[in-house]
Amino acid sequence: MSEHESRLEILRFGKMLHERGLIAATDGNISVRLHEGALLITPTCISKGMMSTEDLVVVDMHGRRLSGFRDVSSEIGMHLTIYRMRPDVNAIVHAHPATATGFAACGLALDQALISEVLLSLGSVPLAHYATPGTSELSEALEPFIPDHDAVLMANHGVVTYGGDLMQAYLNMETVEHFAKIALVVRQLGCEHPLAAEQVSKLLEMRQRIQHYKSEQRTRSRA
Ligand code: 13P
C-alpha cells in the first residue's frame, strides 16, 4: 500500500470509529507502519472522524516528526512500544468504546470464555493497570500483555487493538466492544455459563491455525 493509500485508510477507519460511537470528540488515535523506519499517525487534539489527509503526521521509530504540520498524537509512545515488541503488527487503533471502557473502569478484564468466536478471533482481552495517558508508565503497563494479545483494556481509560493491517486492527476493536456488550448482558441475566477448559483449548488450537492462514493471506495480497 502506498503512503497515500495508507492516509486514505486512516481517514476511512477514523470516520468509522466516530460514526459507530467507538470514540467521541477528539478521542483515540490510529497509526500504520509505512516501512521499517517510519509510521503514519493521527495528530493530537483533532476529531479522528473529521480529518483530511494532510492532518496526518509521519514520524520515525523514535517518534521524531519527519513530515506533517500538526503535532503528533500524545500516545505516540504506546504506538512505538507495540511496534517495537510486535514486528508482525502494521497498524494500531486506540479508542474509548463505552461498554469495554466501562469494564476497564470497573477493573474488569474481558477474559471469561463466554463466546467461541471471540476465543477464535482474540483469545482473551486482559486489563492493564492504570497509568496517566501519554506517559511511559502507560507503555510499561501494557508491555506484559503485548506479546500474546491483540487487544488490551487500559484501566480507567480505553482500549488498544492492533493487527497485521488497519482493517484487522479496526475489526479487533469492534470485536472487543461487541464482546463487552455481550458480557454485560450475561452479567445482567446473572446465569453465566462459560466454556469448559477442554472446549477452550480446542478453540485456541483453531485460533493458531486461523492466525497462520490470515498472515499467509496478507503475504499473498502484498506480493
Ligand atoms: P491524541 O488526540 O493526543 O491522540 O489523544 C487522544 C486520546 O485518546 C488519548 O488517550
Side-chain angles (χ1 to χ4, degrees), residues 26-29 42-46 48 73-75 94 96 133 157:
T26 62
D27 291 350
N29 27 75
T42 49
T44 191
C45 297
I46 190 175
K48 282 52 181 208
S73 167
S74 57
E75 299 292 11
H94 166 53
H96 303 169
H157 184 165

